[in-house]
Amino acid sequence: VSVLICNYNMQAWVGEAIDSAKAQGAEVIVVDDASTDGSLREIAKHTEHVLGIARETNGYLARARNDALAAARGRYVMALDADDKLAPRALDVLAGALDADRTTQIAYGKAHFTDEAGHPMEYGHGPGRSPWPFEYDDKLQRVGDNITCLPYASMVRREWLVRSGGWRERCRTGEDIDLWQRLIMYGARPRMVTQADFLVYRTRTDSMSVTEP
């Protein structure tokens, strides 16, 4: 598995993201997208057995992910934002499901939601729990209006990502929804393969999904 971590000014959390992937034996590729904080120093502390790419100019998230994808060698690929991290054994569970079922091209599970300090959020379904992500529903997914059944960090077969051209770089937001829509139209089958948490999602008031429409 190749885990693509894209970082822009996430000095406080990027180390946790890297370590959560390294601990599971993944090929880890970190792209720093011209950060202006101390991210590069923090990344350097965690880069043993990690490929680091430092961009000189900010190319935005889709470009950074495509740079990482170009260097990836894993059979399966997962994007991971630098302020999130993987739950223990997440990669074994998702990769095992893709190994077992060749008709599934995108695998995902549930997410655990925390605040900036790492404390569980409360949405009325237990600490850190939410109804989303959903079991894949084609009608719901194809609505397109910022609706997606599956998280950005879902695991994908690399050849499908490469054939689709990766993330569309003109999408400054919603690049994950755009990618899933294209892959599904090409015939990819997404599947929620576990009800366990695979992603620890940090909810921030200044995140791109909050500040940019």
Side-chain angles (χ1 to χ4, degrees):
V1 177
S2 297
V3 176
L4 318 182
I5 300 176
C6 298
N7 176 80
Y8 179 68
N9 290 345
M10 292 293 144
Q11 177 185 2
W13 301 298
V14 64
E16 290 184 48
I18 295 171
D19 289 345
S20 73
K22 284 176 61 177
Q24 299 183 44
E27 174 190 59
V28 183
I29 302 169
V30 183
V31 177
D32 182 78
D33 200 17
S35 291
T36 57
D37 64 356
S39 287
L40 286 176
R41 292 191 300 274
E42 184 63 29
I43 291 169
K45 300 176 185 176
H46 301 265
T47 51
E48 184 178 5
H49 306 302
V50 170
L51 173 61
I53 301 172
R55 291 183 49 80
E56 294 184 359
T57 57
N58 184 270
Y60 233 66
L61 186 55
R63 175 65 183 272
R65 285 182 181 164
N66 285 336
D67 285 355
L69 176 61
R73 297 172 296 171
R75 180 182 305 161
Y76 309 133
V77 172
M78 174 187 285
L80 181 65
D81 288 348
D83 56 344
D84 297 335
K85 59 184 178 180
L86 298 177
R89 294 199 65 249
L91 300 184
D92 279 347
V93 172
L94 299 189
L98 291 176
D99 283 346
D101 182 5
R102 296 292 297 177
T103 69
T104 298
Q105 287 76 38
I106 307 169
Y108 64 102
K110 298 293 282 185
H112 179 79
F113 296 89
T114 75
D115 61 17
E116 294 188 27
H119 303 129
M121 300 286 287
E122 183 55 67
Y123 296 111
H125 299 271
R129 303 292 293 179
S130 165
W132 185 86
F134 310 126
E135 295 275 358
Y136 181 70
D137 180 287
D138 192 64
K139 286 186 177 180
L140 180 60
Q141 187 70 29
R142 288 176 184 265
V143 169
D145 187 20
N146 201 33
I147 295 173
T148 181
C149 298
L150 53 159
Y152 80 91
S154 302
M155 186 179 289
V156 190
R157 297 185 186 275
R158 182 166 64 90
E159 70 265 25
W160 281 76
L161 273 178
V162 172
R163 286 205 304 251
S164 72
W167 289 268
R168 188 170 284 166
E169 296 179 13
R170 66 175 173 82
C171 295
R172 291 177 67 84
T173 61
E175 73 294 323
D176 55 332
I177 298 176
D178 174 82
L179 175 67
W180 303 143
Q181 299 287 54
R182 281 186 288 119
L183 286 171
I184 290 162
M185 290 173 70
Y186 295 158
R189 176 191 177 213
R191 185 164 65 92
M192 180 181 279
V193 300
T194 178
Q195 290 294 318
D197 296 330
F198 83 100
L199 175 67
V200 180
Y201 185 92
R202 195 183 307 271
T203 303
R204 298 185 295 109
T205 57
D206 62 344
S207 70
M208 190 170 64
S209 59
V210 172
T211 59
E212 298 199 24

